[in-house]
Amino acid sequence: MQQTLDDLNGRFGKAGVSFKEGRGGMPYANLATGGGEVDVYLHGAHVTRFEQKGQPAVLFMSAQSLFQKDKAIRGGVPVIFPWFGPRQPDPVGKSPMHGFARLTEWQVESVEKQGDVASVTLALTPNELSRSLWPHDFKLTYTVTLDGDVLKLDLAVTNTGAEGLAFEEALHTYFAVGDVRHASVEGLAHTTYLDKTDNLTEKSQDASPIGFTGETDRVYLATQGTCTINDPGLRRRIVVEKEHSDATVVWNPWIAKAKAMVDFGDDEWPGMLCVETCNVGPHAVTLAPGATHSMKVRISTIGS
Ligand code: BG6
């Protein structure tokens, strides 16, 4: 269904939740509380901005991002579904990287504003693109909530079909950091990860916080705990707490990969770090008909 701004504001707009025209003429929802603001594009149900009052943005957005109907937005929180990375195997031979959820417009289902809490719920059901790639019935329901100055994301997948549904999913969160070379990540000590920069070799993470000295692309297995990004550059810690997510991806493209991406500035890599809440690889989810799986993340900051 075509969603115009007039229609969206007429049906759903209220104090603290409004719909506006964004880049590329694309509509987005703006959530505003006493603690900050969040923008959510309907294209990809993509959170492009999370700002706490008087603070630098919590999420990184590339200045080179495309805002086009058939392209993913670069930065913020891409929603990855139903496969992560390149599809393997790829029965149609043209499956887009990281699935189709980030390439399509979602429908606004509802909005809420109560006290200092604002939220929008978006939904995605099979469409022409999904059916051409992946012939399954499903419903995605994604609720983005700004609770004061805390961002909460809840991605629910329902199997609306008659057979089991297997999928991968990720909230591919790009955090803004002062300089990734001075940042570190805690919460993944003594775990095992697949190193995507080294042929998916399985490696062990030691006890020390993870530092960054080169391209980093790792799938941490069996990691359900809270991660903290220590960022001396912006003098804060970002706390990522999650539920029903068994894997964590940590990614920074570094110099060569940054140059190779057309929608990412050559010099932007020091200012970002992805810590992704996901169920991927051996942690892919299988849902019985009628069942729902809900993956949640809560993002807050602590000043130093
Ligand atoms: C990460 C993957 O999650 O996403 C990386 O682990 C990938 O391998 C990155 O390069 C970005 O993917 P894309 O499709 O948004 O360029």
Side-chain angles (χ1 to χ4, degrees), residues 51-85:
E51 272 179 39
Q52 300 168 316
K53 225 155 231 177
Q55 300 297 319
V58 179
L59 299 177
F60 164 88
M61 261 302 298
S62 171
Q64 306 299 322
S65 177
L66 303 169
F67 285 83
Q68 291 176 15
K69 295 211 178 307
D70 56 344
K71 297 281 190 301
I73 295 170
R74 175 71 67 192
V77 189
V79 177
I80 308 303
F81 175 90
W83 56 84
F84 180 82

Side-chain angles (χ1 to χ4, degrees), residues 44-47 72-87 96-103 106 124 134 138 140 142 153 155-157 167-174 196 249 251 274 276-281 285 293 295:
H46 200 121
V47 174
I73 295 170
R74 175 71 67 192
V77 189
V79 177
I80 308 303
F81 175 90
W83 56 84
F84 180 82
R87 188 177 184 186
M97 170 93 167
H98 285 329
F100 51 77
R102 63 178 183 165
L103 300 174
W106 293 45
L124 184 70
W134 199 67
F138 64 89
L140 302 187
Y142 186 44
L153 307 174
L155 178 65
V157 182
F167 59 89
E168 295 177 292
E169 59 180 347
L171 295 171
H172 190 309
T173 315
Y174 288 73
K196 292 180 80 173
V249 170
W251 179 61
C274 286
E276 308 171 27
T277 294
C278 40
N279 287 305
V280 301
V285 177
H293 177 274
M295 180 173 78

Side-chain angles (χ1 to χ4, degrees), residues 13 43 178 254 289:
H43 179 68
W254 221 256

